[in-house]
Amino acid sequence: MCGICGFNWEDKTIIRRMTRAMAHRGPDGSGHYTDNGVSLGHRRLSIIDLTERGKQPMCNEEGALWITYNGEVYNHLEIRAGLESRGHRFKSSTDTEVIIHAFEEYGPKCLEMLNGMFAFALWNSEKNELFLARDRMGIKPLYYYHKKSTGEFIFASEIKAILEHDVERRVNPEALHDFLSFRCVSTEETMFKGIKRVLPAHSITVKGRNLKKNRYWRALEKDEDARADETKDDAHFIKEVRALLEQSVKMRLMSDVPIGAYLSGGIDSGSIVGLMSKLTSGPVKTFSVGFGYRDEHDELENARFLADHFRTDHHEIIVKADTAKILPKIVWHLDEPMSDPTCIPVSLLSEKIKKFATVVLTGDGGDEQFAGYEQYRFMMLHKRYAQKFPVMLRKFGARLLSLVPKPALNTAFPYASALGEKGLERFAEFISTNNPARKYLSMVAVFSEDEKKELYGKGLHEKTRSIDYINDFNKRHFNNRKQYLNNVIRLDIEKILAENMLMKTDKMTMAHSVEARVPLLDHRISELTAAMPSRMRMRGITDKYVLRKAMQGIIPKQTANRKKSRFFVPIDKWLSGELMDMAKQMLERERLKKEGFFEHKYVEKAFRGLKSSRLYYSRQLWSLLCFELWHEKFISQK
C-alpha cells in the first residue's frame, strides 16, 4: 500500500515535494523517476517483498514502461505463472512487476485479469503516453488535474500532493451541493474546482493534450437492462456466496507483515473474523471501538462476544468526547469535506492497530452487497404495502404520528425521539410519495433540497439550481421496476460507497500507515449479488438473507440472527457539549458572510433545533462544521 503521484513533464523538485506531502502513506521509502515528458513519484508501505527489489517507480527490462502503483493484486501469482509461460521474466516477487508485464502482454485489457484494489499510472516512453487506472469498486483513491489549453496533467493518490503545484484553489459549487446531501462528494468532481477523481472501474489515457476515459467493468454487463437470475434456487446462491467469501478472505491473508481485523460485533466483520480463524493457525488480532456512553448503543459487548467465541487476541479503544478535537487533523487527511463522523473512531483505531499489525481486514461493503441498510427495508415495505393506500390517507396517517407518545414511537422507530419533529417531517415525506428517488432522498439526504434553498447564499443557489437529483435518479436507477431493490442498492454503491465508506477507510488507515482490505468487495461477489433475485438479499424484512445462510457454521447463531444496528457516533452529545464552542466559532456570522456560501439565519435555526430534533440538526451542523474546517485548512490559509 502506497502513495503515487506524477505529471507529464520533467521536474525533479516538484515530484519530490509531491511525494513528501504523502509521506504517511508510505513511511518505508520513497522513489522518483523523471525523463523528458514525465515525472513519477512513489511512497512505499512495504507489504509484499520487503526487499529493495520492490522499490518503485519500477520499469520493465527494456526501461520503456515505468509504473507507480498503489494497492494489492491478490491473484498476482496466478497471473505471473501465465506470463512466465509466455516468456516473461521477473526480478522481484511483487505484484507491481506483474502489472507491468501484464500490460506489456495484454495492454489495457490486463485490468480485467486483476483481482484486488489498486490505483496506478504507467508511462510508455515509446508512445509518450500515460495510462491510469482505478480498481473496480473504488477502494483506492486516484485524483487528477488536467488543463486542456496546455495539456498539463497532474495525478496523485491524495489531492494535497496535487496542490504542491500552482493550482488555483476554488470551491466547486456543484460538489458542495452534492456533499450537503450525501456527506461526501460522490461524483467525478471534487470540492476543488478543476481537480477530478478517476471513477471506480475506469481508466484514463493521456497523450499530448488529449485525455480519453474508459469504463472497463460493470457488475452486470448492462446495468441499465439488469435482470436477476431466476433460474437458480436458493441453495445455489448460498453455496456460491460461501465459497467466494472464503476464497476472498484467503486471498487477502497474503502478506509479509502482521494482519488483524476490525470487529464490530455484526455479521459482516464477524464473518470475516470467523473465516480468518478457520484459515489461520494462531489467534486473529481483532480491534473494536466504543464511546463509553451507558445510555447509547455500543457495539463493544457484541464484539467481545465474537472475540471470545473465536478466541481472538482482542483489543479495544474508547473514544472520548474530547478526541473529536482531532477533527481538523482528520479533515487534512481526508483532502475533501466528509461529514461521516465514523472517521474519528476509524482514525483512532488505526493508530492503535499500527502497534500490532500493518494490514487489517474490514467488513466494509457488506451492507451494500447484501441489503443491510434501513433504507432498503423501508423502500421495499413502502413498495409492497404503503403504495396500496391512497396518498391522502398516508399523509393523514403520517400527521397522526406527531400525536403518538414519544416512548411508544421510539420503540417502533429507534432514534425517533432524537430525530424529533424534523425527523417526523422526513418520514411523512417518505410515506406520502410514490416517487422512488424522492423516497430515497428523504431517508439519506442530510439537507433536503428545500433546506438547501434556505441555507444557501444567493450565489451558491444560482450555481446549483439546475441540479435535479429526482429526475436523474429516476432515469438512471429506477427505470427497471422489476429490480427495485437491486436498483436502490446499485444507487448506493455508485453514489456513496466509494467516495464515503471506502475513502473514509483508506484515508484514515493510511494516515497511520495501515493497509485496509475489504473481502466483501471482491468483484466476483459483486457480480454474483448484482445478478441475484431480490429475495436472496432481503427475505421479507430479514436483511442479508443469503449471507446469514451462507455463514451458518462459521458465525454463532446469536450473531447470525441479530438485527442490523447502526453504528452511531454521538455527535449530538458532542455538539451539545465539548464541541459547541468550536462549532459556534467556525459557523459565526461574519465568517459565513465573507465566504458567501451559507445564510447564518439557517445556522441559528439549526442550533436552536438541537433541543427538539437533536440528531437531525446535529448531522447538519456537523456537515457544515466539516466544510468550514476544510475551507479554513485548504482555501483560506492556502
Side-chain angles (χ1 to χ4, degrees), residues 292-340:
Y293 288 113
R294 295 180 181 178
D295 59 332
E296 293 288 334
H297 172 76
D298 201 313
E299 293 183 325
L300 285 180
E301 185 177 344
N302 294 333
R304 288 170 192 151
F305 169 78
L306 283 174
D308 290 342
H309 179 85
F310 294 120
R311 299 180 180 179
T312 71
D313 178 10
H314 191 56
H315 306 266
E316 295 178 353
I317 184 171
I318 302 297
V319 179
K320 302 294 186 181
D322 59 357
T323 60
K325 294 176 182 177
I326 68 171
L327 192 55
K329 182 180 179 181
I330 286 175
V331 167
W332 183 82
H333 277 292
L334 288 171
D335 280 336
E336 295 184 89
M338 183 183 296
S339 60
D340 184 338

Side-chain angles (χ1 to χ4, degrees), residues 120-220:
F120 65 82
L122 266 163
W123 168 248
N124 188 327
S125 62
E126 294 177 347
K127 294 184 178 181
N128 289 321
E129 187 175 272
L130 262 174
F131 178 81
L132 287 78
R134 188 178 178 195
D135 65 73
R136 294 171 179 87
M137 304 305 294
I139 302 167
K140 304 314 299 174
L142 187 55
Y143 303 94
Y144 69 94
Y145 171 84
H146 181 226
K147 192 173 183 178
K148 294 180 182 179
S149 61
T150 62
E152 179 182 358
F153 182 83
I154 311 165
F155 70 89
S157 296
E158 296 189 3
I159 294 173
K160 61 180 64 67
I162 295 176
L163 296 177
E164 290 297 319
H165 293 260
D166 186 22
V167 174
E168 185 180 7
R169 302 188 188 191
R170 289 185 295 144
V171 175
N172 185 335
E174 292 84 2
L176 177 54
H177 188 78
D178 203 59
F179 162 72
L180 292 172
S181 285
F182 306 109
R183 294 187 173 187
C184 64
V185 183
S186 63
T187 67
E188 183 183 33
E189 301 292 323
T190 73
M191 195 63 80
F192 295 89
K193 188 73 173 178
I195 298 178
K196 300 179 184 293
R197 72 188 90 244
V198 178
L199 290 171
H202 278 69
S203 64
I204 288 180
T205 303
V206 181
K207 188 169 185 176
R209 297 185 181 186
N210 298 319
L211 183 150
K212 183 181 178 181
K213 304 173 188 177
N214 178 60
R215 181 170 183 172
Y216 64 86
W217 175 85
R218 285 180 167 85
L220 293 171

Side-chain angles (χ1 to χ4, degrees), residues 30 88 369:
S30 65
H88 291 265
Q369 297 278 44

Side-chain angles (χ1 to χ4, degrees), residues 80 96 280 593:
R80 176 176 176 146
T96 309
T280 57
K593 183 179 180 180

